[in-house]
């Protein structure tokens, strides 16, 4: 099956700085890469996703890049704010079959 | 609010006992997924149901079982509970009609086995 590795496990940045979280996957058949944000006491919430036919996708301060050849994808958050503090999970899987394998999570702390 | 409802929010029980966790998917969603999240761990996929039928199985123990009912709500049954079963259990749902079907998670049930 798919194996998703996520780094770093914790990330601390100053408010206004950028944050980058990286994931690698093992199964070349994976074609869908969502990112989830989990705030304390809540379930993960989808924040952005990308399909394998796209190399980059941006939504305001959040962007995701995908390198299919190298089997890695990254989440970029610019101009971080304290409310960005949360645990972020990447996932990889097969879009049509809704099979997702999650990374181990990155705890992002944005210091005011 | 994702629209996925999980009950109860918290559950405390003793080893050896059996509990049932309940999930109501978003209106219109046909698929229900169950995930386990242990302390400081990622999300481990347990099982998926689609329109009442089991569709995929992950790392689900034999002591655990699930079902999806005709009204599409789902229950996860955990039996012969052990201390290591203490975790957050999340339910997610999706439309799952082959296109544009991201997962929407509920807020989880926190299970504590003492």
């Amino acid at each position: 099956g798919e194996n998703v590795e996520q780094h770093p496990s914790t990330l601390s940045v100053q408010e206004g700085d950028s944050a980058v979280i990286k994931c690698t996957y093992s199964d070349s058949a994976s074609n869908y890469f969502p990112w989830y944000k989990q705030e304390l006491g809540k379930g993960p919430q989808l924040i952005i996703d990308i399909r394998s036919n796209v190399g980059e996708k941006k939504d305001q301060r959040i962007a995701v890049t995908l390198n299919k050849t190298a089997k890695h994808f990254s989440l970029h958050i610019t101009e971080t704010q304290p409310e960005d503090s949360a645990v972020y999970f990447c996932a990889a899987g097969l879009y049509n079959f809704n099979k997702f394998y999650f990374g181990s999570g990155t705890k992002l702390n944005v210091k005011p | 609010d994702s629209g996925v409802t999980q009950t109860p929010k918290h559950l405390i029980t003793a080893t050896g006992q059996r509990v049932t966790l309940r999930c109501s998917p978003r209106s219109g969603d046909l698929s229900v997924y169950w995930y386990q999240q242990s302390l400081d761990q990622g999300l481990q996929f347990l099982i998926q149901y689609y329109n009442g039928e089991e569709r995929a199985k992950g790392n689900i123990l034999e002591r655990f079982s699930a079902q999806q009912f005709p009204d599409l709500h789902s229950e996860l049954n955990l039996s012969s509970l052990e201390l290591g079963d203490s975790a957050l259990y999340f339910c997610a749902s999706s439309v799952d009609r082959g296109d544009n079907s991201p997962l929407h998670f509920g807020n989880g049930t926190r299970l504590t086995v003492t």
Side-chain angles (χ1 to χ4, degrees), chain A residues 32 36 38 41-44 46 49 51 89 95-100 102-104, chain B residues 33 35 37 41-43 48 56 90 94 96 98-103 105-107:
Chain A
Y32 180 57
Y36 285 82
Q38 186 178 20
K42 295 189 177 181
L46 179 71
D49 56 10
R51 297 195 212 180
F89 291 97
Y95 183 75
N96 288 343
F97 299 100
N98 275 349
K99 279 191 177 180
F100 303 127
F102 284 83
S104 54
Chain B
Y33 305 74
Y35 284 84
Q37 186 178 41
Q41 294 291 312
L43 293 153
Q48 177 201 357
F90 286 104
S94 71
D96 199 14
D99 195 18
N100 195 25
S101 297
L103 298 186
F105 284 83
N107 285 332

Side-chain angles (χ1 to χ4, degrees), chain A residues 32 34 36 44 46 49 94-100 102, chain B residues 2-5 23-35 45 47-53 55-56 68 71-74 90-106:
Chain A
Y32 180 57
Y36 285 82
L46 179 71
D49 56 10
L94 296 173
Y95 183 75
N96 288 343
F97 299 100
N98 275 349
K99 279 191 177 180
F100 303 127
F102 284 83
Chain B
S2 68
V4 178
T5 304
C23 169
S24 293
R26 291 190 324 158
S27 177
D29 284 1
L30 300 177
S31 267
V32 169
Y33 305 74
W34 287 97
Y35 284 84
F45 169 64
I47 197 164
Q48 177 201 357
Y49 278 82
Y50 173 77
N51 206 17
E53 302 274 333
R55 186 180 238 189
Q68 186 179 27
D71 66 352
L72 300 178
H73 91 270
S74 177
F90 286 104
C91 168
S93 72
S94 71
V95 172
D96 199 14
R97 290 201 180 101
D99 195 18
N100 195 25
S101 297
L103 298 186
H104 299 270
F105 284 83

Side-chain angles (χ1 to χ4, degrees), chain A:
Chain A
E2 176 64 276
N3 181 42
V4 180
E5 294 191 357
Q6 183 172 347
H7 301 279
S9 56
T10 58
L11 180 58
S12 191
V13 300
Q14 207 66 40
E15 181 178 359
D17 287 350
S18 295
V20 180
I21 302 170
K22 298 183 179 181
C23 289
T24 60
Y25 63 98
S26 60
D27 190 347
S28 57
S30 291
N31 60 9
Y32 180 57
F33 308 90
W35 285 87
Y36 285 82
K37 175 184 181 182
Q38 186 178 20
E39 296 175 330
L40 201 61
K42 295 189 177 181
Q45 181 182 16
L46 179 71
I47 55 171
I48 196 168
D49 56 10
I50 191 169
R51 297 195 212 180
S52 60
N53 58 350
V54 176
E56 183 174 357
K57 186 175 178 180
K58 194 172 180 181
D59 182 5
Q60 299 181 353
R61 297 185 297 108
I62 293 173
V64 57
T65 58
L66 170 65
N67 183 327
K68 279 221 74 171
T69 304
K71 296 201 197 105
H72 64 72
F73 56 113
S74 301
L75 177 71
H76 304 253
I77 306 174
T78 58
E79 299 171 22
T80 54
Q81 300 165 4
E83 51 265 39
D84 294 330
S85 296
V87 179
Y88 291 81
F89 291 97
C90 64
L94 296 173
Y95 183 75
N96 288 343
F97 299 100
N98 275 349
K99 279 191 177 180
F100 303 127
Y101 296 87
F102 284 83
S104 54
T106 295
K107 187 171 185 178
L108 175 63
N109 179 36
V110 180
K111 295 177 285 187

